[in-house]
Amino acid sequence: MEILSNRIINMAESETLAMTAKARELKAQGKDVISLSIGEPDFNTPEQVKEAAKKAIDDNFTHYPPVPGYADLREAISAKFLRDNGLEYKPEQIVVSTGGKQALYQVVQVLVNPGDEVIIPTPYWVSYKEFVRLAGGIPIYVKTSLENDFKVTPEQLEAAITPKTKLIMFSSPSNPTGMLYSKEELKGIAEVVAKHENLFVVSDEIYEHINFVGKHQSIAQFPEVKERVVTVNGVAKGFAMTGWRIGFIGAPLVIAKACNKLQGQVTSATCSIAQKATVEAMLMDPTTSKDIIDMRETFRRRRDMVYKLLCDIPGLKVRMPQGAFYFFPDCSSYYGKSFNGKKIENSTDMAFYLINEANVATVMGSAFGDDSCIRLSYATSEDLLREALRRIKEALAKLQ
Ligand SMILES: Cc1ncc(COP(=O)(O)O)c(C=O)c1O
């Protein structure tokens, strides 16, 4: 008999974490690896947030917090939703969890029954499909294309909906493509959702503050769907707080209560000290906060530089990302080519070729449901980015 459950045996490993681990392993062997696989800002957490955490310890916020999060934090998140997104969520509609990841996992657990269909536009963020499968749901992939900026259209969405469809999940700004939906595009999606009264939306907005084209737009702003949207956010990316493990939802009350019930059995609550620090982060207005603006502008400079360097590599198809900190170039014109007897057939071969031949860690597009592409993170210094792109160009030129 198997020791492990079918549930865990059938679950895919996080391939982004696997590539990061591979890069670490090669570095430990003394190889000069540049990691473009990582999904976290290379900045430090803002000082006032760190100070708030230190104060929380001194003030003895070291006991179990309330399951959905401290009241002052949920008030601060409620105010943030109103200030930044024009969304009204009362504190009882907010649940604070251990990262955006747990928040997303819980939402899927409380909404999806076995056999329910969940629409996931591809390319998608790696964990969505595993969350759906763990709940016994069926991921329904809707393929978007580079030519369409990797965005799903209302027509595609409508065509994918069946009586079994429960949920649609997507991120904007997107990991892995860096694209984001405009207000008009979200309105188009909201109109389709509004027509199907049992359909819910999970809107993952964790890259909200890393947006180079204008004001962030939330799909929950459309009243016709607000009662069927769960807005997911967190502090990992926009505040350089990946290690603090804080994410949250704003949701219809019935969904927030259900997540609270589940969280009460799973984690009790998330870290008291990280919660107190997050209050300080929520007070930072993205239109005036120097930390947020400086980080975004640094990412913008790197994006512009990497775009030029990528466009200079023959055979790659590249779109200019509008947010987050990733490029998702199409490298499929190299498939079928070889170097030293090793043939590149797909994005996994390409990612391994680049790490072995160029010492640059990327992530295979197949992890995100698109085997034509690879994902490059530009959350690293300009010097390292320039060197990494030089190495990639050189390695690709060897393929015949
Ligand atoms: C699109 C997306 N959603 C959610 C998360 C999870 O973030 P957290 O670190 O808060 O769990 C990530 C992190 O990589 C992400 O890229």
Side-chain angles (χ1 to χ4, degrees), residues 39 98-102 104 125 128 171 173-175 204 206-207 232-237 242 245-247 326 375:
T98 306
K101 231 176 200 173
Q102 191 199 358
L104 287 158
W125 181 54
Y128 296 159
S171 59
S174 160
N175 176 4
D204 180 349
I206 199 145
Y207 291 94
V232 181
N233 211 323
V235 292
K237 317 290 177 174
T242 46
R245 309 308 304 130
I246 295 277
Y326 307 105
R375 190 191 75 173

Side-chain angles (χ1 to χ4, degrees), residues 309-384:
L309 295 172
L310 281 172
C311 288
D312 200 34
I313 300 179
L316 292 186
K317 278 198 263 171
V318 195
R319 272 286 189 273
M320 180 67 131
Q322 302 166 314
F325 40 74
Y326 307 105
F327 275 87
F328 201 57
D330 183 321
C331 54
S332 59
S333 72
Y334 287 95
Y335 297 175
K337 298 191 175 181
S338 312
F339 176 66
N340 269 356
K342 173 80 189 102
K343 195 166 175 186
I344 308 291
E345 312 259 26
N346 51 41
S347 65
T348 304
D349 290 349
M350 181 57 92
F352 278 98
Y353 176 69
L354 292 177
I355 198 165
N356 292 324
E357 200 53 45
N359 282 343
V360 177
T362 59
V363 184
M364 55 292 266
S366 56
F368 309 94
D370 190 332
D371 203 27
S372 307
C373 301
I374 53 169
R375 190 191 75 173
L376 315 174
S377 155
Y378 51 92
T380 195
S381 72
E382 287 186 25
D383 284 350
L384 282 178

